[in-house]
Amino acid sequence: MDCIGWQWKERADWHAIRWRRGGLSHSYGQPHDSCKLTLPLQVVLIQPNDQGAKGHNFPHAIVAGIQRYPQKITKRMGAKKVQKRSKVKPFVKVVNYNHLMPTRYTLELEGLKGIVGADTLKEPEQRKEARKNVKKVLEERFSAGKNRWFFTPLRF
């Protein structure tokens, strides 16, 4: 399994408080084994780490997601306006497994594993470069019309 679709629960969001008690139990297995739909931000799992690492001594994953979704496009819009409204603002961060819930959706993003890693997130310049690469991959995916579910914000 390459990159798996996930959704990330923000602590500041009231939905996260509502769902916090029912987090991942052992019956679900490790988060990268299966995928089930949850709340509020959709992310792609890039690199899981079950044991933890020196800087993060808890099970975590490096994820990439969409901070600002593309806007609605209609037939009447010109090419320039369509291109402007198709922009995506991504994020790349380390998230604890307790704040992730697997979804049944999968999203295959070729080459993202090589671009983003634990070393990439340490330096600000490398993190910026990784975000640019993720943005390029996601915008290509959006313009191709693949995985429309990933590019629509979740409604509650």
Side-chain angles (χ1 to χ4, degrees):
M1 273 191 279
D2 273 335
C3 299
I4 296 177
W6 286 75
Q7 296 192 351
W8 175 51
K9 299 186 291 184
E10 280 188 34
R11 280 188 149 176
D13 197 359
W14 69 272
H15 295 288
I17 296 165
R18 188 173 139 215
W19 281 85
R20 199 165 171 202
R21 275 192 237 159
L24 285 176
S25 65
H26 294 293
S27 62
Y28 283 112
Q30 291 298 327
H32 56 82
D33 289 343
S34 64
C35 292
K36 297 202 187 286
L37 180 63
T38 62
L39 300 172
L41 293 175
Q42 301 176 52
V43 296
V44 177
L45 184 76
I46 295 176
Q47 184 180 4
N49 192 336
D50 297 334
Q51 272 65 40
K54 189 176 179 184
H56 306 280
N57 11 332
F58 49 84
H60 62 275
I62 297 174
V63 297
I66 300 176
Q67 192 170 345
R68 186 172 53 235
Y69 290 91
Q71 296 176 332
K72 187 177 179 179
I73 297 169
T74 61
K75 289 180 183 178
R76 298 178 68 176
M77 293 180 186
K80 197 173 186 181
K81 192 163 191 171
V82 167
Q83 185 180 10
K84 193 169 188 173
R85 293 175 74 96
S86 298
K87 293 200 185 292
V88 171
K89 183 179 181 184
F91 65 86
V92 177
K93 56 176 62 182
V94 176
V95 179
N96 191 333
Y97 275 174
N98 293 338
H99 306 294
L100 292 173
M101 269 184 125
T103 66
R104 63 190 177 112
Y105 300 107
T106 59
L107 180 64
E108 302 291 331
L109 293 176
E110 307 81 23
L112 247 171
K113 287 192 177 214
I115 295 171
V116 181
D119 304 332
T120 317
L121 299 179
K122 291 180 181 173
E123 294 293 323
E125 281 300 314
Q126 289 180 340
R127 184 184 285 247
K128 200 176 208 179
E129 207 49 47
R131 239 187 347 255
K132 283 181 187 176
N133 291 331
V134 169
K135 179 178 180 162
K136 189 174 82 171
V137 169
L138 289 176
E139 284 180 354
E140 286 173 4
R141 197 80 169 172
F142 177 74
S143 61
K146 297 179 181 176
N147 304 102
R148 283 287 182 195
W149 58 269
F150 189 72
F151 298 101
T152 55
L154 295 170
R155 304 286 179 203
F156 299 106

